[in-house]
């Protein structure tokens, strides 16, 4: 491969990584053609971009980005495929679900919410990560809860006062 061809691939990888917020590096080697096709379809359905990459080209592309990916460089060995997603936990959920029927993909590393996760043992932690939208929803619910209790107490108090006044009126 000529130097110009490599630079085109590196530039393309850099643009793809910039376009998505979250990066997963996995090993899908050993999957047969049907399983690979199933994985690609599952990724497409989940809004995840799956790209088979050369480790050296990926490392050069990552080095050219503003974020610090140095923690995932150690995972760039053997066969690598990257999964790019807008949602932080979507690829982890897909990997976990896909592995119920297959032994791959294996998670090598991930860069999610500006944090690096290295190793297969991080898969469960990645599945449980909430997206920014989910966290904002939780905050809104937490803020609404005291207001709901206050309104309920005021409504209850109104009924109690009304009941007391009605009783006093009936006695008079």
């Amino acid at each position: 491969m000529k130097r110009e061809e490599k630079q085109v691939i590196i530039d393309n990888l850099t643009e793809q990584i910039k376009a998505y917020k979250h990066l997963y590096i996995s090993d899908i080697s050993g999957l047969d053609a049907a399983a690979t096709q199933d994985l690609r379809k599952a990724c497409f359905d989940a809004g995840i971009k799956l790209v088979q990459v050369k480790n050296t080209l990926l490392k050069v592309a990552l080095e050219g980005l503003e974020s610090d990916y140095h923690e995932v460089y150690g995972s760039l060995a053997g066969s690598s495929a990257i999964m790019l997603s807008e949602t932080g936990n979507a690829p982890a959920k897909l990997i976990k679900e896909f592995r119920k029927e297959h032994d791959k993909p294996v998670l090598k590393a991930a860069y999610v919410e500006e944090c690096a996760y290295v190793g297969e043992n991080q898969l469960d932690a990645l599945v449980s990560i909430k997206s920014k939208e989910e966290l904002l929803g939780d905050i809104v619910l937490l803020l609404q809860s005291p207001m709901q209790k206050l309104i309920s107490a005021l409504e209850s108090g109104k009924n109690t006062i009304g009941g007391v006044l009605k009783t006093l009126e009936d006695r008079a």
Side-chain angles (χ1 to χ4, degrees):
M1 187 180 306
K2 293 182 182 177
R3 184 179 205 105
E4 295 82 23
E5 293 172 336
K6 288 181 182 179
Q7 191 58 48
V8 168
I9 293 171
I10 291 168
D11 292 342
N12 188 16
L13 272 173
T14 303
E15 290 304 313
Q16 289 179 9
I17 294 168
K18 279 184 190 177
Y20 292 89
K21 297 178 183 176
H22 310 289
L23 167 76
Y24 281 67
I25 302 170
S26 62
D27 177 9
I28 62 170
S29 65
L31 289 177
D32 62 12
T36 303
Q37 185 64 27
D38 291 344
L39 178 62
R40 289 189 181 280
K41 183 179 182 330
C43 286
F44 180 80
D45 292 343
I48 300 168
K49 185 167 182 85
L50 178 67
V51 181
Q52 188 75 32
V53 294
K54 286 190 166 224
N55 292 323
T56 53
L57 299 180
L58 177 59
K59 184 176 180 183
V60 172
L62 292 175
E63 287 171 344
L65 294 170
E66 293 175 9
S67 297
D68 185 16
Y69 292 95
H70 77 278
E71 293 180 47
V72 300
Y73 292 161
S75 303
L76 298 177
S79 177
S80 295
I82 58 172
M83 295 177 162
L84 302 166
S85 174
E86 288 294 324
T87 308
N89 61 1
K93 288 179 178 179
L94 184 133
I95 290 170
K96 196 163 187 149
E97 184 66 30
F98 196 78
R99 289 202 3 212
K100 289 179 180 176
E101 297 178 17
H102 306 281
D103 59 343
K104 300 273 179 143
V106 173
L107 177 68
K108 295 166 101 178
Y111 193 79
V112 178
E113 301 294 341
E114 300 177 9
C115 293
Y117 298 84
V118 179
E120 178 68 23
N121 59 342
Q122 299 294 320
L123 188 60
D124 289 330
L126 287 164
V127 167
S128 64
I129 288 179
K130 291 188 176 187
S131 69
K132 183 177 180 180
E133 292 78 19
E134 290 172 325
L135 289 173
L136 288 173
D138 288 350
I139 290 171
V140 168
L141 284 175
L142 288 172
L143 292 174
Q144 282 182 340
S145 179
M147 291 299 289
Q148 293 293 341
K149 289 179 183 177
L150 177 63
I151 291 171
S152 176
L154 291 174
E155 288 291 323
S156 174
K158 178 180 79 174
N159 292 338
T160 304
I161 293 172
V164 170
L165 291 175
K166 179 78 171 156
T167 303
L168 291 174
E169 181 182 314
D170 291 341
R171 285 188 185 173

